[in-house]
Structures are given as structure tokens and as C-alpha cells.
Short mmCIF file of all heavy atoms in Angstrom, two decimals:
data_model
loop_
_atom_site.label_atom_id
_atom_site.label_comp_id
_atom_site.label_asym_id
_atom_site.label_seq_id
_atom_site.Cartn_x
_atom_site.Cartn_y
_atom_site.Cartn_z
N LEU I 1 -100.08 -20.57 21.88
CA LEU I 1 -98.78 -21.15 21.74
C LEU I 1 -98.92 -22.72 21.48
O LEU I 1 -97.88 -23.36 21.48
CB LEU I 1 -97.98 -20.87 22.97
CG LEU I 1 -97.56 -19.53 23.21
CD1 LEU I 1 -96.82 -19.36 24.56
CD2 LEU I 1 -96.76 -18.89 22.09
N GLU I 2 -100.12 -23.17 21.37
CA GLU I 2 -100.32 -24.60 21.36
C GLU I 2 -100.34 -25.19 20.01
O GLU I 2 -101.11 -26.02 19.55
CB GLU I 2 -101.62 -25.01 22.00
CG GLU I 2 -102.90 -24.42 21.31
CD GLU I 2 -103.25 -22.98 21.91
OE1 GLU I 2 -102.36 -22.31 22.37
OE2 GLU I 2 -104.40 -22.60 21.72
N ALA I 3 -99.31 -24.85 19.17
CA ALA I 3 -99.15 -25.33 17.78
C ALA I 3 -98.92 -26.83 17.89
O ALA I 3 -97.98 -27.25 18.52
CB ALA I 3 -98.03 -24.65 17.04
N GLY I 4 -99.71 -27.60 17.22
CA GLY I 4 -99.55 -29.05 17.26
C GLY I 4 -100.41 -29.76 18.54
O GLY I 4 -100.44 -30.92 18.53
N LEU I 5 -100.88 -28.95 19.39
CA LEU I 5 -101.67 -29.48 20.44
C LEU I 5 -103.13 -29.29 20.11
O LEU I 5 -103.80 -28.38 20.44
CB LEU I 5 -101.32 -28.84 21.76
CG LEU I 5 -99.96 -28.79 22.15
CD1 LEU I 5 -99.78 -28.04 23.58
CD2 LEU I 5 -99.36 -30.14 22.32
N THR I 6 -103.67 -30.49 19.49
CA THR I 6 -105.05 -30.40 19.06
C THR I 6 -106.12 -30.64 20.21
O THR I 6 -107.18 -29.99 20.14
CB THR I 6 -105.28 -31.42 18.01
OG1 THR I 6 -105.06 -32.70 18.60
CG2 THR I 6 -104.39 -31.25 16.78
N ASP I 7 -105.80 -31.30 21.14
CA ASP I 7 -106.68 -31.59 22.27
C ASP I 7 -105.91 -31.46 23.63
O ASP I 7 -105.32 -32.48 24.04
CB ASP I 7 -107.34 -32.94 22.19
CG ASP I 7 -108.51 -33.15 23.14
OD1 ASP I 7 -108.61 -32.33 24.18
OD2 ASP I 7 -109.24 -34.06 23.04
N ARG I 8 -105.95 -30.28 24.18
CA ARG I 8 -105.09 -30.17 25.32
C ARG I 8 -105.65 -30.93 26.59
O ARG I 8 -104.86 -31.33 27.45
CB ARG I 8 -105.03 -28.60 25.73
CG ARG I 8 -104.04 -27.79 24.85
CD ARG I 8 -103.94 -26.38 25.28
NE ARG I 8 -105.20 -25.70 24.86
CZ ARG I 8 -105.40 -24.50 25.23
NH1 ARG I 8 -104.67 -23.80 26.07
NH2 ARG I 8 -106.50 -23.85 24.78
N SER I 9 -106.98 -31.04 26.61
CA SER I 9 -107.57 -31.75 27.75
C SER I 9 -107.03 -33.29 27.80
O SER I 9 -106.73 -33.83 28.86
CB SER I 9 -109.00 -31.68 27.71
OG SER I 9 -109.52 -32.27 26.62
N THR I 10 -106.91 -33.88 26.66
CA THR I 10 -106.57 -35.21 26.46
C THR I 10 -105.14 -35.26 26.90
O THR I 10 -104.51 -36.27 27.46
CB THR I 10 -106.68 -35.71 25.07
OG1 THR I 10 -108.17 -35.62 24.82
CG2 THR I 10 -106.30 -37.18 24.92
N ILE I 11 -104.18 -34.36 26.35
CA ILE I 11 -102.82 -34.41 26.52
C ILE I 11 -102.58 -34.22 28.05
O ILE I 11 -101.50 -34.86 28.64
CB ILE I 11 -102.13 -33.34 25.77
CG1 ILE I 11 -102.16 -33.71 24.27
CG2 ILE I 11 -100.68 -33.16 26.15
CD1 ILE I 11 -101.60 -32.59 23.30
N SER I 12 -103.30 -33.25 28.73
CA SER I 12 -102.93 -33.05 30.09
C SER I 12 -103.53 -33.97 31.12
O SER I 12 -103.17 -34.04 32.28
CB SER I 12 -103.50 -31.59 30.42
OG SER I 12 -104.88 -31.49 30.30
N ALA I 13 -104.42 -34.85 30.59
CA ALA I 13 -105.05 -35.85 31.54
C ALA I 13 -104.11 -36.76 32.23
O ALA I 13 -104.22 -36.89 33.55
CB ALA I 13 -106.05 -36.72 30.76
N PRO I 14 -102.99 -37.31 31.81
CA PRO I 14 -102.11 -38.09 32.54
C PRO I 14 -101.33 -37.45 33.54
O PRO I 14 -101.05 -37.84 34.69
CB PRO I 14 -101.17 -38.71 31.34
CG PRO I 14 -101.84 -38.63 30.18
CD PRO I 14 -102.80 -37.49 30.25
N PHE I 15 -101.11 -36.06 33.33
CA PHE I 15 -100.33 -35.20 34.28
C PHE I 15 -101.29 -35.02 35.51
O PHE I 15 -100.82 -35.09 36.64
CB PHE I 15 -99.88 -34.00 33.56
CG PHE I 15 -99.12 -34.05 32.37
CD1 PHE I 15 -99.40 -33.42 31.22
CD2 PHE I 15 -98.13 -35.00 32.33
CE1 PHE I 15 -98.61 -33.50 30.11
CE2 PHE I 15 -97.27 -35.13 31.20
CZ PHE I 15 -97.57 -34.43 30.07
N TRP I 16 -102.55 -34.82 35.20
CA TRP I 16 -103.54 -34.66 36.31
C TRP I 16 -103.50 -35.91 37.06
O TRP I 16 -103.66 -35.86 38.35
CB TRP I 16 -104.92 -34.19 35.82
CG TRP I 16 -105.91 -34.05 36.95
CD1 TRP I 16 -106.96 -34.77 36.99
CD2 TRP I 16 -105.95 -33.02 37.85
NE1 TRP I 16 -107.75 -34.37 38.12
CE2 TRP I 16 -107.20 -33.30 38.68
CE3 TRP I 16 -105.16 -32.05 38.23
CZ2 TRP I 16 -107.49 -32.48 39.77
CZ3 TRP I 16 -105.54 -31.23 39.31
CH2 TRP I 16 -106.73 -31.47 40.03
N THR I 17 -103.70 -36.99 36.50
CA THR I 17 -103.63 -38.36 37.12
C THR I 17 -102.43 -38.55 38.03
O THR I 17 -102.63 -38.99 39.17
CB THR I 17 -103.80 -39.52 36.22
OG1 THR I 17 -105.01 -39.31 35.38
CG2 THR I 17 -103.96 -40.79 36.83
N VAL I 18 -101.33 -38.29 37.57
CA VAL I 18 -100.08 -38.47 38.38
C VAL I 18 -100.05 -37.47 39.54
O VAL I 18 -99.71 -37.90 40.63
CB VAL I 18 -98.77 -38.08 37.44
CG1 VAL I 18 -97.56 -38.03 38.28
CG2 VAL I 18 -98.65 -39.17 36.41
N HIS I 19 -100.68 -36.16 39.29
CA HIS I 19 -100.81 -35.37 40.41
C HIS I 19 -101.58 -35.93 41.59
O HIS I 19 -101.23 -35.93 42.80
CB HIS I 19 -101.33 -34.05 39.96
CG HIS I 19 -101.99 -33.20 41.11
ND1 HIS I 19 -101.14 -32.68 42.15
CD2 HIS I 19 -103.27 -32.91 41.28
CE1 HIS I 19 -101.99 -31.86 42.84
NE2 HIS I 19 -103.22 -32.09 42.44
N ARG I 20 -102.74 -36.53 41.22
CA ARG I 20 -103.64 -37.12 42.25
C ARG I 20 -103.03 -38.35 42.87
O ARG I 20 -103.12 -38.56 44.14
CB ARG I 20 -104.96 -37.51 41.58
CG ARG I 20 -105.70 -36.30 41.25
CD ARG I 20 -107.23 -36.48 40.84
NE ARG I 20 -107.20 -37.33 39.54
CZ ARG I 20 -107.46 -38.64 39.53
NH1 ARG I 20 -107.65 -39.32 40.70
NH2 ARG I 20 -107.44 -39.25 38.36
N LEU I 21 -102.38 -39.23 42.08
CA LEU I 21 -101.87 -40.51 42.66
C LEU I 21 -100.63 -40.17 43.53
O LEU I 21 -100.48 -40.86 44.49
CB LEU I 21 -101.50 -41.48 41.47
CG LEU I 21 -102.63 -41.97 40.69
CD1 LEU I 21 -102.12 -42.84 39.48
CD2 LEU I 21 -103.56 -42.88 41.57
N ALA I 22 -99.87 -39.32 43.13
CA ALA I 22 -98.60 -38.97 43.88
C ALA I 22 -98.91 -38.24 45.17
O ALA I 22 -97.99 -38.05 46.01
CB ALA I 22 -97.64 -38.29 42.98
N LYS I 23 -100.04 -37.54 45.27
CA LYS I 23 -100.22 -36.84 46.41
C LYS I 23 -100.29 -37.61 47.69
O LYS I 23 -101.11 -38.40 47.76
CB LYS I 23 -101.51 -35.95 46.26
CG LYS I 23 -101.77 -34.86 47.32
CD LYS I 23 -102.91 -33.96 46.91
CE LYS I 23 -103.09 -32.87 47.85
NZ LYS I 23 -104.27 -32.08 47.69
N PRO I 24 -99.55 -37.34 48.65
CA PRO I 24 -99.59 -38.27 49.88
C PRO I 24 -100.98 -38.05 50.70
O PRO I 24 -101.39 -36.91 50.74
CB PRO I 24 -98.40 -37.81 50.74
CG PRO I 24 -97.46 -36.98 49.73
CD PRO I 24 -98.42 -36.37 48.75
N GLU I 25 -101.27 -39.09 51.34
CA GLU I 25 -102.46 -39.04 52.26
C GLU I 25 -102.17 -38.34 53.47
O GLU I 25 -103.00 -37.52 54.03
CB GLU I 25 -102.91 -40.47 52.49
CG GLU I 25 -103.42 -41.15 51.17
CD GLU I 25 -103.83 -42.60 51.57
OE1 GLU I 25 -103.88 -42.95 52.69
OE2 GLU I 25 -104.32 -43.43 50.57
N ALA I 26 -100.96 -38.58 54.00
CA ALA I 26 -100.58 -37.85 55.24
C ALA I 26 -100.10 -36.48 54.90
O ALA I 26 -99.29 -36.30 54.01
CB ALA I 26 -99.52 -38.72 55.95
N ARG I 27 -100.65 -35.48 55.55
CA ARG I 27 -100.28 -34.14 55.21
C ARG I 27 -98.85 -33.75 55.54
O ARG I 27 -98.21 -32.94 54.84
CB ARG I 27 -101.19 -33.16 55.99
CG ARG I 27 -101.11 -31.72 55.62
CD ARG I 27 -102.21 -30.86 56.26
NE ARG I 27 -103.55 -31.16 55.80
CZ ARG I 27 -104.68 -30.72 56.18
NH1 ARG I 27 -104.58 -29.73 57.12
NH2 ARG I 27 -105.85 -31.06 55.71
N HIS I 28 -98.36 -34.23 56.61
CA HIS I 28 -96.93 -33.81 56.92
C HIS I 28 -95.96 -34.92 56.85
O HIS I 28 -95.01 -35.10 57.64
CB HIS I 28 -97.13 -33.31 58.52
CG HIS I 28 -98.04 -32.19 58.68
ND1 HIS I 28 -97.73 -30.91 58.15
CD2 HIS I 28 -99.18 -32.10 59.38
CE1 HIS I 28 -98.80 -30.17 58.59
NE2 HIS I 28 -99.60 -30.88 59.32
N ARG I 29 -96.16 -35.78 55.81
CA ARG I 29 -95.21 -36.95 55.73
C ARG I 29 -93.92 -36.42 55.18
O ARG I 29 -93.86 -35.51 54.31
CB ARG I 29 -95.83 -37.85 54.71
CG ARG I 29 -95.05 -39.12 54.52
CD ARG I 29 -95.58 -39.95 53.50
NE ARG I 29 -94.68 -41.16 53.17
CZ ARG I 29 -94.71 -41.73 52.00
NH1 ARG I 29 -95.53 -41.45 51.08
NH2 ARG I 29 -93.88 -42.72 51.90
N ALA I 30 -92.79 -36.93 55.63
CA ALA I 30 -91.47 -36.57 55.27
C ALA I 30 -91.20 -37.00 53.81
O ALA I 30 -91.68 -38.06 53.34
CB ALA I 30 -90.41 -37.25 56.14
N GLU I 31 -90.64 -36.11 52.97
CA GLU I 31 -90.39 -36.34 51.57
C GLU I 31 -89.14 -37.19 51.29
O GLU I 31 -87.97 -36.77 51.79
CB GLU I 31 -90.24 -35.01 50.86
CG GLU I 31 -90.07 -35.10 49.30
CD GLU I 31 -91.18 -35.58 48.55
OE1 GLU I 31 -92.23 -35.64 49.12
OE2 GLU I 31 -90.97 -35.85 47.36
N PRO I 32 -89.19 -38.35 50.69
CA PRO I 32 -88.05 -39.03 50.43
C PRO I 32 -87.16 -38.49 49.45
O PRO I 32 -87.47 -37.57 48.64
CB PRO I 32 -88.64 -40.42 49.82
CG PRO I 32 -89.86 -40.02 49.24
CD PRO I 32 -90.30 -38.92 50.05
N PRO I 33 -85.67 -38.63 49.68
CA PRO I 33 -84.83 -38.03 48.69
C PRO I 33 -84.93 -38.56 47.20
O PRO I 33 -85.34 -39.66 47.14
CB PRO I 33 -83.53 -38.33 49.32
CG PRO I 33 -83.76 -39.57 50.06
CD PRO I 33 -85.13 -39.44 50.63
N LEU I 34 -84.58 -37.84 46.26
CA LEU I 34 -84.87 -38.16 44.89
C LEU I 34 -84.04 -39.38 44.52
O LEU I 34 -84.45 -40.30 43.71
CB LEU I 34 -84.37 -37.04 43.93
CG LEU I 34 -84.60 -37.23 42.48
CD1 LEU I 34 -86.03 -37.43 42.21
CD2 LEU I 34 -84.05 -36.13 41.65
N SER I 35 -82.85 -39.68 45.26
CA SER I 35 -82.07 -40.79 44.96
C SER I 35 -82.73 -42.11 45.37
O SER I 35 -82.29 -43.18 44.83
CB SER I 35 -80.62 -40.64 45.70
OG SER I 35 -80.89 -40.56 47.11
N SER I 36 -83.57 -42.11 46.19
CA SER I 36 -84.41 -43.22 46.61
C SER I 36 -85.63 -43.49 45.96
O SER I 36 -86.31 -44.49 46.22
CB SER I 36 -84.70 -43.16 48.13
OG SER I 36 -85.64 -42.08 48.46
N TRP I 37 -86.00 -42.59 44.91
CA TRP I 37 -87.24 -42.75 44.21
C TRP I 37 -87.18 -44.02 43.32
O TRP I 37 -86.13 -44.44 42.78
CB TRP I 37 -87.38 -41.53 43.42
CG TRP I 37 -87.98 -40.38 44.13
CD1 TRP I 37 -87.68 -40.08 45.42
CD2 TRP I 37 -88.66 -39.26 43.66
NE1 TRP I 37 -88.30 -38.92 45.83
CE2 TRP I 37 -88.86 -38.41 44.62
CE3 TRP I 37 -89.22 -38.98 42.44
CZ2 TRP I 37 -89.55 -37.16 44.46
CZ3 TRP I 37 -89.78 -37.75 42.19
CH2 TRP I 37 -90.04 -36.87 43.29
#
């Protein structure tokens, strides 16, 4: 289904970076509401 996606690893790289950066260090930290983001 990847018509137009020539290099999926390059395209998905920023999403993987955001996943790592956004992951909290504290395991049970309270999640802030979306309105405060």
C-alpha cells in the first residue's frame, strides 16, 4: 500500500524520534490534559 513511499525507514524516522523523546522518564507520571500541551 506504500504507493509514493520510496523509503519508509527515512519517512518513519521522525516518528520514532518523537516516540523516544516524548516517553516520560517517570513510569507513573500523571498525564497532563491536552489543553495544557
Side-chain angles (χ1 to χ4, degrees):
L1 298 176
E2 61 273 23
L5 304 182
T6 55
D7 189 347
R8 281 182 288 171
S9 60
T10 302
I11 290 175
S12 62
F15 305 132
W16 177 248
T17 302
V18 169
H19 161 66
R20 290 188 295 104
L21 291 176
K23 190 174 183 180
E25 297 178 1
R27 183 173 297 179
H28 302 294
R29 185 186 172 202
E31 179 73 10
L34 185 62
S35 58
S36 68
W37 285 23

